[in-house]
Amino acid sequence: MAFVPYERPVRAAFIGLGRIYDLNVRAYLDNPDVEVVALVDPSEERREQRHGDWPRAATFASTAELAASGIEVDAVEALLPIPLHADGVLELLGYGWHINLQKPLCNDLLDAQRMLDAAKASGLVLRVMENYLFYEPLRRFKAVFESGELGTIAGYHMKMVGSGSGGWDIPWSSFEWQIEQMKRSRGILVFDDGWHKLSTALWLFGPVSEVRAWIGTTSFGHGIDLDAPTMIAWEHANGVRGVWDITLAPDLYLRSDYYTNDERWEVTGSKGFASVNRCTGRGIQQPSLEVYVDGEMRGHHALDDDWASSFRDSGRHWLRWLRTGVGPLMWSGEEAVDVLRFALAAYASSAAGGVGVSPGQVV
Ligand SMILES: NC(=O)c1ccc[n+]([C@@H]2O[C@H](COP(=O)([O-])OP(=O)(O)OC[C@H]3O[C@@H](n4cnc5c(N)ncnc54)[C@H](O)[C@@H]3O)[C@@H](O)[C@H]2O)c1
């Protein structure tokens, strides 16, 4: 069934009104492409808090109540805890709503197939949002090396330092489902936050043919096992090799309006290199993008490097897409499966002692 764009503002509902709603909502505010008609969350406190943003929207404790209300909904912004993604998506599709789902898609390929099959059978669109692809320093970074000014690409490095000091408050309820995820070997660093790093690698250099990983664990008690120190290396089908290391520095203070994660991307070419020096956190006061060629360093000081803007732009892209049907979804359900396969290949490699695993072969 071909998608037919909406010739009027999209009627949208938020499903899940927790921590990340604060950033996803930015795409919906002052956006003539959308009318927010409903808000859903079992937490009465969250419903009351978010109702202030959308006084004309109806609020519900469950999606079943929204579906039974007779309110017309075209698309939903699904901001559910990861363990609820698979069944949640099936339920939402069952009501006939297009979905913009927060990443990660889900924990395994069986659930991914169920979700994709259901979307296909219903003729509805399942998008898996990836805000990092809309972060201006990363977009400019991509444009720099694609312009050829760094010469031939020789390698690619990502670095993540998770810290526990600084940033915004995270409710304990969010940790509860993350601990559930940790018990299923889907850790917060490699799988949840790491999803973005794997996505950006695929976006920047294309399909991955082989992954080698060494995934560690650091226990903080009470079931909190963080998946670091970790090193993951891979080769893209185009021959470019990437490497990503995750380190924990629990007492390192990091200035941040959001999460405290020092994130870095660096690509080295035959003539120079470019680096993105931050994303979620503000880190030290370097330009967010630097380019070194021919003995000169160029710093980009005027990019929109507020991480929240990437949520605004990703969500606006989705809403515009629903109005026009034009262009890539960034990401489609199928592209999200590629990210999942990349993660699963890393787990399989680590479990087998670091051997090379092809994401196309994981089951
Ligand atoms: N893109 C990013 O950088 C980014 C950052 C953080 C979180 N996330 C993702 O966003 C999603 C939500 O994370 P969060 O940090 O906001 O979690 P959270 O725990 O703060 O919020 C989840 C909300 O969903 C509600 N909820 C639970 N069951 C529900 C149901 N059946 N129907 C409706 N609402 C329900 C909870 O009451 C809660 O308010 C996760 O998939 C997470 O991985 C993405």
Side-chain angles (χ1 to χ4, degrees):
M1 224 183 301
F3 171 75
V4 180
Y6 292 91
E7 289 178 0
R8 52 165 172 76
V10 174
R11 296 166 300 197
F14 281 93
I15 312 294
L17 306 171
R19 179 73 275 187
I20 211 62
Y21 164 94
D22 287 288
L23 300 186
N24 283 70
V25 73
R26 295 188 186 210
Y28 289 74
L29 297 167
D30 300 320
N31 187 342
D33 282 335
V34 69
E35 182 193 354
V36 175
V37 294
L39 306 171
V40 178
D41 198 299
S43 156
E44 191 178 348
E45 191 187 340
R46 282 299 195 197
R47 292 197 303 274
E48 271 176 26
Q49 180 191 13
R50 306 315 192 180
H51 201 212
D53 294 337
W54 311 103
R56 293 190 5 220
T59 62
F60 298 93
S62 72
T63 42
E65 287 171 41
L66 165 58
S69 72
I71 292 174
E72 302 264 14
V73 173
D74 303 311
V76 294
E77 187 75 11
L79 310 179
L80 293 165
I82 303 168
L84 303 184
H85 281 196
D87 289 344
V89 160
L90 261 59
E91 184 186 357
L92 296 167
L93 290 170
Y95 297 132
W97 303 330
H98 300 295
I99 302 174
N100 190 33
L101 176 71
Q102 259 290 0
K103 46 48 65 179
L105 172 65
C106 58
N107 286 333
D108 56 55
L109 289 169
L110 221 65
D111 276 343
Q113 201 54 53
R114 282 203 299 141
M115 294 160 94
L116 263 59
D117 287 348
K120 195 169 173 195
S122 63
L124 296 161
V125 180
L126 171 61
R127 177 187 193 237
V128 182
M129 73 88 84
E130 181 44 86
N131 53 295
Y132 278 56
L133 312 189
F134 292 83
Y135 185 58
E136 194 182 4
L138 281 171
R139 291 177 84 99
R140 193 66 74 87
F141 174 70
K142 187 173 193 284
V144 164
F145 70 76
E146 285 181 351
S147 76
E149 70 173 297
L150 303 181
T152 308
I153 301 308
Y156 173 52
H157 176 213
M158 287 187 288
K159 177 182 171 187
M160 224 166 94
V161 180
S163 102
S165 173
W168 63 4
D169 291 332
I170 301 172
W172 180 251
S173 53
S174 308
F175 279 114
E176 284 174 338
W177 58 259
Q178 286 288 6
I179 292 171
E180 212 182 300
Q181 283 288 100
M182 289 168 200
K183 288 188 188 139
R184 295 178 186 169
S185 299
R186 297 291 181 267
I188 197 165
L189 296 167
V190 173
F191 193 72
D192 181 16
D193 194 342
W195 185 273
H196 301 295
K197 313 302 154 12
L198 304 176
S199 281
T200 51
L202 290 169
W203 174 60
L204 294 170
F205 296 108
V208 165
S209 49
E210 184 176 326
V211 184
R212 293 168 186 256
W214 188 12
I215 300 174
T217 305
T218 305
S219 289
F220 289 84
H222 310 287
I224 303 177
D225 295 329
L226 297 192
D227 39 352
T230 284
M231 292 98 175
I232 302 178
W234 60 90
E235 188 167 85
H236 292 270
N238 66 4
V240 171
R241 285 193 181 179
V243 59
W244 169 32
D245 59 83
I246 308 175
T247 312
L248 275 179
D251 303 322
L252 179 148
Y253 173 75
L254 191 70
R255 182 179 158 223
S256 177
D257 295 328
Y258 316 109
Y259 301 97
T260 47
N261 190 348
D262 191 14
E263 296 156 286
R264 289 159 190 279
W265 289 254
E266 182 166 298
V267 63
T268 304
S270 54
K271 285 173 57 184
F273 67 85
S275 55
V276 170
N277 296 321
R278 64 168 172 274
C279 192
T280 316
R282 292 198 179 275
I284 56 174
Q285 297 305 293
Q286 290 165 284
S288 49
L289 172 64
E290 289 177 306
V291 181
Y292 177 85
V293 183
D294 292 336
E296 287 182 6
M297 183 75 100
R298 201 167 73 239
H300 291 250
H301 294 266
L303 300 178
D304 183 355
D305 54 21
D306 180 352
W307 186 57
S309 300
S310 66
F311 286 80
R312 178 199 63 203
D313 294 347
S314 167
R316 283 184 182 167
H317 178 85
W318 161 241
L319 295 167
R320 196 88 282 269
W321 193 93
L322 290 174
R323 297 295 311 279
T324 63
V326 172
L329 275 171
M330 294 173 88
W331 296 117
S332 65
E334 288 77 10
E335 287 166 313
V337 173
D338 291 338
V339 185
L340 178 62
R341 283 189 167 279
F342 193 171
L344 296 179
Y347 288 123
S349 167
S350 186
V355 299
V357 174
S358 160
Q361 305 292 309
V362 290
V363 285

